[in-house]
Amino acid sequence: MDEILQYLERHRESFEEDLCALLRIPSVSADSRHRGDMRQAADWVYGQFTSMGLKAEIVETAGHPIVYAESPPVAGAPTVLVYGHYDVQPPDPLDEWVSPPFEPTKRDGNIYARGATDDKGQMLTHVKSAQAVLATTGKLPVQLKYIIEGEEEVGSENIESFLDDRREQLACDVIVISDTSQFGPGRPAITYGLRGIAYFELRLTGPKQDLHSGTFGGAVTNPLNTLAKMLAALVDGAGRIQIPGFYDDVVELTDTERAQFAVLSFSEQSFMRQIGVEGVSGESGFSTLERRWARPTCDVHGFWGGYSGEGAKTVLPCRAGAKFSFRLVPNQDPVKIGRSLEQMMRALCPPGIKLELIDLHGAPGVLVPLDNPYMSAAASAVERGFGTTPVFIREGGSIPIVNAFKAKLGADTLLLGWGLDDDNTHSPNEKFCLADFHRGIKASAALWDELGKLNA
Ligand code: BES
Ligand code: ZN
């Protein structure tokens, strides 16, 4: 192991340069203008694997390509599947970035760029650790299989058929993903729960064209007024979602879990300071951590219609729309929720308005078992990388593929997050702490070692 650690020390700079090279590629999966960049990012990841001597392949899908790589089988040791994503969220609003999103810049020990933490930097830790082990010892203590996809940020819709097609090739004992966060600086965490998601676009259409609100207002249903009413009807004053049956399948927090959350030293004050608000609200009866990690939500992401230019325009707009989603918790079913939502929306839709509800994507929530040797190996590895034992947390974001891995490959996932809650993921000035990048690589190298001690 000493040799591997020395290799990691000697290659700190080259690892950072490689990360910057990947961060310079604007691989925005949601935006079709970036198709070429998506391909370039996939090629770059593929190049990493082949230069390490791994068997690698770029797999075409109906959407963006998947990069697959594997090392040789190791008799008697487990097979570990690493998942990550090379796609990133759109960088807007561009003028709020201190340095441009695709020009990675080092400031105060962090690297700033879209995708720095989510997920290029975190994903790369598991590539660089293997590079170090292979370069120093010539072989890995476990068989590694990598799936690095390009559609995580848009719902991972095409990866399921890849899992179906390759069930045998992808057979593994455990899955490793680094696409989550530590509990705080210097407080590494293993995440055992994620929320799911159900994401929709609502389109309302009224008269055949925009109208004068004086001539027609009051007699013709306004799609924007209707949109506002429909969105407002989704959540009541106590933060409870009003879709019929929405809470039917919710697995409630146990008293033990609530007590475990309560002893984590979470400061509501510093949380509010971090995001720049003077108060918080949510579903009544639950703490902030409970609301973020283990309760369902509804958030509107954007809406449109009518006039929002300079000055006043008395228009009765002919159409309106919105994008919104629900974060889900185990065992809520996104499909069932979509059906009930559609019924509710149709019942609220007044005469003179046509409604279209588009289901953009969905994924159920996740809870992974804590009591198994893989989890203990992961805890030891995190301790070896970060110098302190990890805490076990849940998180509020979603990684759609985790349930599919369980259902199709029968394996549980180790969610080992090297990020921080203030990394500005999905927002301007995304960053990743470079010390955590290197600690992550060290923890990852230790993970292959710890997992290699387990019998398959
Ligand atoms: N890295 C995040 C998932 C995440 C976020 C985990 C915060 C834990 C805390 C991931 O890349 C992501 O953003 N996923 C999307 C999935 C969605 C588009 C289906 C998300 O959660 O919005
Ligand atoms: Zn991510």
Side-chain angles (χ1 to χ4, degrees):
M1 202 68 200
D2 280 356
E3 244 191 312
I4 298 171
L5 295 179
Q6 282 161 16
Y7 183 96
L8 298 185
E9 268 315 304
R10 278 204 313 279
H11 286 78
R12 286 174 78 93
E13 215 166 297
S14 82
F15 290 168
E16 290 179 18
E17 279 163 17
D18 283 347
L19 172 58
C20 288
L22 179 58
L23 289 173
R24 274 186 213 106
I25 307 171
S27 44
V28 181
S29 50
D31 186 340
S32 56
R33 290 169 301 181
H34 286 286
R35 261 203 114 68
D37 300 313
M38 293 299 294
R39 161 67 47 172
Q40 208 192 323
D43 286 345
W44 189 93
V45 174
Y46 170 83
Q48 289 285 300
F49 291 128
T50 51
S51 65
M52 286 155 56
L54 298 190
K55 206 167 83 188
E57 181 187 354
I58 295 184
V59 183
E60 301 302 333
T61 72
H64 300 297
I66 295 169
V67 185
Y68 179 73
E70 63 180 45
S71 65
V74 180
T79 298
V80 183
L81 192 149
V82 178
Y83 166 90
H85 61 98
Y86 67 82
D87 66 322
V88 301
Q89 286 271 325
D92 352 22
L94 283 176
D95 55 4
E96 289 184 28
W97 285 78
V98 174
S99 50
F102 299 108
E103 290 175 26
T105 307
K106 279 184 208 173
R107 283 196 302 277
D108 339 308
N110 297 306
I111 187 88
Y112 284 84
R114 170 58 86 234
T117 186
D118 184 10
D119 174 42
K120 290 174 173 176
Q122 296 204 61
M123 174 272 283
L124 206 58
T125 61
H126 296 302
V127 178
K128 292 302 170 192
S129 62
Q131 177 188 319
V133 177
L134 286 169
T136 48
T137 69
K139 58 177 190 338
L140 287 153
V142 291
Q143 180 177 27
L144 291 180
K145 298 181 177 178
Y146 290 89
I147 299 177
I148 312 297
E149 73 147 318
E151 298 195 309
E152 197 273 349
E153 299 291 6
V154 288
S156 296
E157 298 275 286
N158 290 305
I159 201 178
E160 301 228 353
S161 60
F162 171 78
L163 299 188
D164 288 330
D165 294 348
R166 305 224 182 182
R167 224 173 259 247
E168 269 172 42
Q169 185 183 18
L170 300 177
C172 59
D173 297 290
V174 68
I175 289 154
V176 174
I177 303 180
S178 289
D179 194 19
T180 50
S181 288
Q182 304 176 64
F183 185 61
R187 302 204 59 196
I190 294 181
T191 296
Y192 68 90
L194 290 170
R195 290 194 289 194
I197 193 166
Y199 198 121
F200 302 94
E201 179 171 326
L202 178 63
R203 294 183 186 167
L204 302 180
T205 323
K208 68 177 190 215
Q209 66 185 67
D210 284 1
L211 302 172
H212 191 298
S213 71
T215 314
F216 298 96
V220 175
T221 320
N222 179 327
L224 256 184
N225 291 25
T226 306
L227 181 72
K229 280 190 203 154
M230 284 184 167
L231 294 178
L234 289 173
V235 189
D236 75 3
R240 297 277 297 181
I241 289 144
Q242 299 299 296
I243 301 173
F246 185 83
Y247 291 93
D248 286 0
D249 302 321
V250 166
V251 175
E252 297 294 337
L253 276 156
T254 61
D255 289 342
T256 321
E257 214 177 2
R258 295 187 88 166
Q260 283 162 351
F261 287 9
V263 297
L264 289 169
S265 56
F266 174 75
S267 154
E268 196 129 308
Q269 287 306 318
S270 45
F271 175 70
M272 294 195 297
R273 213 174 315 116
Q274 180 201 322
I275 51 178
V277 297
E278 281 169 15
V280 287
S281 69
E283 188 182 2
S284 50
F286 294 94
S287 72
T288 293
L289 278 187
E290 289 166 354
R291 288 170 179 167
R292 291 170 64 205
W293 291 353
R295 296 299 300 169
T297 64
C298 168
D299 278 292
V300 178
H301 307 297
F303 50 76
W304 55 90
Y307 182 73
S308 51
E310 194 180 346
K313 182 186 182 196
T314 47
V315 62
L316 193 164
C318 63
R319 66 181 80 88
K323 288 182 196 274
F324 56 98
S325 74
F326 304 89
R327 290 287 166 177
L328 309 178
V329 299
N331 291 329
Q332 288 178 293
D333 173 1
V335 175
K336 200 166 142 188
I337 281 164
R339 276 200 294 265
S340 185
L341 170 71
E342 172 132 21
Q343 272 177 12
M344 177 184 173
M345 295 282 103
R346 293 211 176 275
L348 288 172
C349 190
I353 300 284
K354 277 205 296 270
L355 174 155
E356 191 186 2
L357 184 70
I358 303 161
D359 183 340
L360 287 178
H361 59 71
V366 170
L367 278 173
V368 296
L370 286 164
D371 187 17
N372 60 73
Y374 302 118
M375 198 49 99
S376 314
S380 309
V382 173
E383 183 170 1
R384 284 168 61 182
F386 285 75
T388 169
T389 51
V391 288
F392 290 87
I393 63 171
R394 287 171 71 161
E395 284 190 87
S398 313
I399 305 178
I401 199 64
V402 177
N403 273 292
F405 280 145
K406 181 72 183 175
K408 293 177 194 292
L409 305 181
D412 286 313
T413 297
L414 303 168
L415 294 160
L416 313 178
W418 321 138
L420 289 170
D421 271 351
D422 69 355
D423 276 345
N424 302 323
T425 51
H426 298 199
S427 31
N429 304 308
E430 179 175 348
K431 66 165 175 67
F432 188 29
C433 167
L434 284 165
D436 286 330
F437 176 56
H438 295 292
R439 288 191 271 256
I441 299 171
K442 194 170 161 190
S444 174
L447 182 63
W448 313 146
D449 179 50
E450 294 288 341
L451 291 172
K453 295 177 194 163
L454 305 177
N455 291 324

